[in-house]
């Protein structure tokens, strides 16, 4: 089903649940104060009814199958972290407080963009940290806390799990979504 078809279905559903006389209000025949009250009292139930219809019909999801989202096949966690396993791991999963050895590359505008901001791979030196101890951004603690040794993932970290509105070091602007290719090499 195309995005256009989904939008058409959603709008049709909303309009069929809308009270027809709410749409026929003549704003010019009422005083400004009265017209606002009448308009709100007639349209609010229709809007709520339309929203209830859309939420009760999950097949009319505009995001579902939306080809404009290049990351539609990624898993989204409850926190908003998105990831895709690119290489399965076969080792253990780290417990909170354990040290892990990793490799990573980070970008600002999507994977493999020209705005790479850091890479342990480019330095030829893995990076180590303690999982769940707040030594790294929250998105990293969450991602590495569920990876198996040997696993590699592409992760997309929303600002609230990254550097938030403050940014970092003049390199990462406030409100930036971060894109990482990460690999869990070992638990130390």
């Amino acid at each position: 089903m195309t995005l256009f078809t989904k939008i058409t279905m959603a709008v049709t559903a909303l309009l069929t649940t809308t009270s027809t006389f709410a749409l026929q209000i003549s704003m010019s025949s009422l005083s400004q104060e009265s017209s606002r009250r009448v308009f709100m009292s007639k349209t609010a139930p229709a809007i709520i009814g339309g929203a209830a219809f859309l939420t009760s019909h999950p097949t009319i999801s505009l995001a579902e199958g939306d080809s404009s989202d290049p990351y539609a096949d990624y898993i989204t966690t409850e926190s908003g972290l998105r990831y895709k396993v690119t290489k399965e791991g076969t080792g253990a999963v780290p417990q909170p407080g354990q040290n892990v050895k990793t490799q990573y590359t980070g970008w600002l505008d999507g994977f493999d963009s020209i705005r790479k901001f850091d890479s342990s791979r480019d330095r030829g030196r893995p990076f180590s940290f303690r999982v769940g101890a707040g030594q790294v951004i929250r998105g990293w603690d969450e991602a590495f806390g569920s990876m198996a040794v040997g696993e590699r993932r592409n992760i997309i970290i929303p600002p609230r799990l990254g550097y938030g509105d403050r940014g970092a070091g003049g390199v990462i602007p406030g409100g930036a979504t971060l894109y990482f290719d990460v690999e869990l090499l070992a638990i130390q």
Side-chain angles (χ1 to χ4, degrees):
M1 184 180 304
T2 67
L3 179 60
F4 177 76
T5 304
K6 289 180 184 182
I7 292 172
T8 302
M9 289 174 59
V11 169
T12 302
L14 180 61
L15 291 177
T16 58
T17 61
T18 306
S19 170
T20 54
F21 68 87
L23 299 175
Q24 297 172 350
I25 294 174
S26 170
M27 298 300 277
S28 60
S29 66
L30 302 169
S31 72
Q32 189 173 18
E33 174 107 6
S34 173
S35 65
R36 262 189 253 138
R37 270 194 220 118
V38 170
F39 180 77
M40 291 305 292
S41 70
K42 302 297 183 193
T43 58
I47 291 168
I48 293 168
F53 176 84
L54 291 176
T55 57
S56 67
H57 291 78
T59 57
I60 304 176
S61 167
L62 300 181
E64 183 183 300
D66 183 357
S67 62
S68 67
D69 181 3
Y71 308 114
D73 59 338
Y74 280 52
I75 295 168
T76 303
T77 68
E78 200 171 298
S79 70
L81 176 80
R82 296 175 82 180
Y83 71 92
K84 180 178 184 177
V85 176
T86 58
K87 178 185 161 201
E88 294 289 337
T90 57
V93 175
Q95 299 302 307
Q98 288 186 303
N99 284 321
V100 294
K101 184 161 90 171
T102 70
Q103 287 281 25
Y104 70 90
T105 302
W107 297 270
L108 289 174
D109 294 328
F111 299 101
D112 297 321
S113 79
I114 62 169
R115 294 189 67 196
K116 183 191 308 183
F117 60 84
D118 194 13
S119 177
S120 66
R121 289 184 183 96
D122 290 352
R123 287 190 300 277
R125 219 166 77 190
F127 175 74
S128 296
F129 70 98
R130 186 173 300 141
V131 173
Q135 294 179 340
V136 293
I137 57 176
R138 289 177 31 207
W140 269 41
D141 271 337
E142 181 179 342
F144 282 101
S146 63
M147 290 175 69
V149 172
E151 185 173 323
R152 191 165 176 170
R153 290 182 181 180
N154 283 345
I155 59 175
I156 303 171
I157 300 177
R160 71 185 178 311
L161 298 178
Y163 294 100
D165 292 334
R166 71 184 188 283
V171 176
I172 300 171
T177 296
L178 307 175
Y179 299 82
F180 285 98
D181 172 1
V182 297
E183 184 174 10
L184 179 55
L185 302 175
I187 300 173
Q188 301 173 311

